[in-house]
Amino acid sequence: MACFSDRIMTTDNSSTLSPSTETPTHRPIRSFIRREGRLTAAQIRAINELLPAIELKADGAVLDMNVLFGRTAPVTLEIGFGNGESLLEMAAAAPNEDFIGIEVHRPGVGHLALGIERLGLTNIRIVAEDAVPFIRDRIADASLDRLLLYFPDPWHKARHHKRRIVQTEFANLVGQKLKKGGLWHLATDWAPYAEHMRTVLDAHPDFSSEHVGIGEAARPSWRPETKFERRGIRLQHAVFDLLYRRTNMPEPTA
């Protein structure tokens, strides 16, 4: 894919500027590229009529999860839900838990909204914007029970490795938002990226690994198999599931 879902990519969204009237500014590297596929009539209806009631914007006050969902329950955040089928399956299987899904690909957003309507689910909210600002600004510290990152873009070329979302800076942010004992679950079908993930997170003081060995062929029962994953398996790619538990937490200030 060309968005957050199964392949998380990047864009600078730059436009042509006149050097005489505009001053170039630094643009942060993003972990996605916004490429719109064709929207069906049903997806257009879902975005126009269903999404507003369940959408969370990147701008706004820090969220109180108990107020947002009207109850106290474990909260899982998924970055890049693709067409939303795996998120729907997880949320339907865990009605006593709450879920936030992030995806910038509008057909996927519309597909998920339709699925929520079809199944009558009330435990999912959707973010259709960049994940990092939303997590940084709207998620309270130590408020997430799980963060899911399934099949992000591996950025195969060495010169593009800096675009990978799994970097120490992002791990710092995830560690800040997870509760003590919270779980970061990552999955990839690209062995060099799995190695990169392990290199970053094995060295990070906030996390301890819980996967067996290098995480190959270790999909937990709670993670549905994705469409992209099945394609990778057909191409004889190994699939890695990496589990990292949030351990160290800062001491509260007096």
Side-chain angles (χ1 to χ4, degrees):
M1 53 149 271
C3 56
F4 264 123
S5 53
D6 287 323
R7 288 298 191 192
I8 298 184
M9 304 183 73
T10 190
T11 181
D12 61 9
N13 284 334
S14 58
S15 58
T16 302
L17 301 177
S18 168
S20 62
T21 59
E22 299 287 350
T23 301
T25 59
H26 173 71
R27 294 180 183 272
I29 292 172
R30 292 186 179 180
S31 55
F32 68 92
I33 191 165
R34 191 185 293 273
R35 289 178 181 161
E36 297 289 17
R38 179 174 296 178
L39 286 161
T40 67
Q43 289 166 353
I44 292 172
R45 180 187 71 82
I47 289 172
N48 290 336
E49 299 178 11
L50 304 178
L51 183 61
I54 54 176
E55 184 179 18
L56 303 175
K57 295 293 189 179
D59 296 330
V62 174
L63 295 167
D64 182 326
M65 297 300 176
N66 297 340
V67 173
L68 177 63
F69 290 100
R71 63 178 180 177
T72 301
V75 178
T76 294
L77 185 148
E78 181 178 6
I79 300 175
F81 57 73
N83 67 7
E85 288 298 330
S86 61
L87 182 54
L88 283 172
E89 185 174 337
M90 288 186 288
N96 294 323
E97 300 179 15
D98 295 321
F99 295 81
I100 297 173
I102 302 178
E103 178 58 70
V104 298
H105 189 54
R106 290 207 304 162
V109 170
H111 189 84
L112 176 58
L114 289 170
I116 292 171
E117 179 188 48
R118 182 181 74 251
L119 297 177
L121 299 179
T122 60
N123 60 339
I124 301 179
R125 299 294 184 272
I126 296 176
V127 180
E129 302 183 51
D130 190 2
V132 173
F134 176 81
I135 295 171
R136 181 190 64 222
D137 299 334
R138 301 220 62 194
I139 299 296
D141 292 352
S143 65
L144 296 177
D145 294 87
R146 288 191 301 174
L147 188 137
L148 312 179
L149 180 64
Y150 296 156
F151 303 98
D153 193 295
W155 291 105
H156 306 86
K157 295 180 181 180
R159 70 177 183 272
H160 292 156
H161 287 182
K162 64 181 179 293
R163 299 178 183 271
R164 290 173 170 175
I165 191 170
V166 180
Q167 306 287 356
T168 299
E169 183 178 2
F170 184 66
N172 293 341
L173 179 62
V174 173
Q176 183 181 345
K177 303 305 179 179
L178 282 174
K179 296 177 181 177
K180 184 174 183 179
L183 186 69
W184 187 3
H185 181 192
L186 310 94
T188 181
D189 70 325
W190 186 248
Y193 197 16
E195 181 179 1
H196 170 85
M197 291 172 170
R198 292 192 302 268
T199 297
V200 171
L201 294 178
D202 286 352
H204 200 287
D206 292 348
F207 297 97
S208 62
S209 62
E210 292 193 347
H211 48 269
V212 176
I214 61 173
E216 184 175 354
R219 178 168 62 89
S221 59
W222 69 78
R223 181 176 75 75
E225 190 176 73
T226 71
K227 178 181 178 181
F228 180 83
E229 178 179 7
R230 290 191 290 272
R231 185 175 67 182
I233 292 171
R234 288 196 301 271
L235 295 172
Q236 299 185 332
H237 293 182
V239 177
F240 300 83
D241 281 86
L242 305 178
L243 307 176
Y244 286 90
R245 188 73 62 180
R246 178 69 165 99
T247 50
N248 297 328
M249 297 292 285
E251 294 294 329
T253 58

